[in-house]
Amino acid sequence: MIIRPHKVLLIKKNFFEFSFNDDVDDDEETVPDFEKFKSLNAAEQYYLADIYNWDDGPIVLQWIIDSPKCDKGTACKIFWNAEPDYYYDFTAGLLWVQ
């Protein structure tokens, strides 16, 4: 996958750790520009999913999943980065009652 340098800069500037720039005194949450997101192709969305800081919340990840450009590889990347196997440990002691 080749991501052009200007797109890497656009992604990092607008979607990587964007919430870290929030003004503490301001109650408004920073939301990235959806119009800029729509300019990303499938490979660029995968790159964004790969570097995404989950501390920013799920909004950008939801945009990726909802995008018609999102392929199965990117969806799987997001799923496995969520570490679903962590939650399996909590199901071992459950009893299923019908």
Side-chain angles (χ1 to χ4, degrees), residues 75-95:
C76 285
K77 174 84 175 145
I78 292 170
F79 176 79
W80 288 113
N81 281 357
E83 299 180 3
D85 55 329
Y86 168 80
Y87 298 97
Y88 180 76
D89 293 338
F90 298 105
T91 63
L94 293 179
L95 295 176

Side-chain angles (χ1 to χ4, degrees), residues 1-19:
M1 133 179 80
I2 297 175
I3 310 296
R4 295 183 180 226
H6 74 281
K7 284 292 194 161
V8 170
L9 292 174
L10 178 122
I11 290 167
K12 286 184 176 181
K13 179 181 177 188
N14 292 286
F15 304 107
F16 182 70
E17 297 182 348
F18 61 87
S19 69

Side-chain angles (χ1 to χ4, degrees), residues 54-96:
W54 288 60
D55 290 338
D56 280 331
I59 189 166
V60 173
L61 297 172
Q62 189 65 51
W63 289 350
I64 295 171
I65 295 296
D66 291 341
S67 170
K69 299 173 190 173
C70 180
D71 59 23
K72 290 179 184 178
T74 304
C76 285
K77 174 84 175 145
I78 292 170
F79 176 79
W80 288 113
N81 281 357
E83 299 180 3
D85 55 329
Y86 168 80
Y87 298 97
Y88 180 76
D89 293 338
F90 298 105
T91 63
L94 293 179
L95 295 176
W96 296 99

Side-chain angles (χ1 to χ4, degrees), residues 1-56:
M1 133 179 80
I2 297 175
I3 310 296
R4 295 183 180 226
H6 74 281
K7 284 292 194 161
V8 170
L9 292 174
L10 178 122
I11 290 167
K12 286 184 176 181
K13 179 181 177 188
N14 292 286
F15 304 107
F16 182 70
E17 297 182 348
F18 61 87
S19 69
F20 291 36
N21 298 326
D22 282 346
D23 187 0
V24 176
D25 297 331
D26 190 4
D27 290 337
E28 289 187 34
E29 182 181 348
T30 301
V31 177
D33 187 352
F34 185 66
E35 292 303 314
K36 288 181 181 171
F37 171 79
K38 291 192 303 188
S39 74
L40 303 179
N41 65 30
E44 294 159 352
Q45 287 183 5
Y46 183 91
Y47 173 73
L48 174 55
D50 189 43
I51 68 163
Y52 191 73
N53 187 332
W54 288 60
D55 290 338
D56 280 331

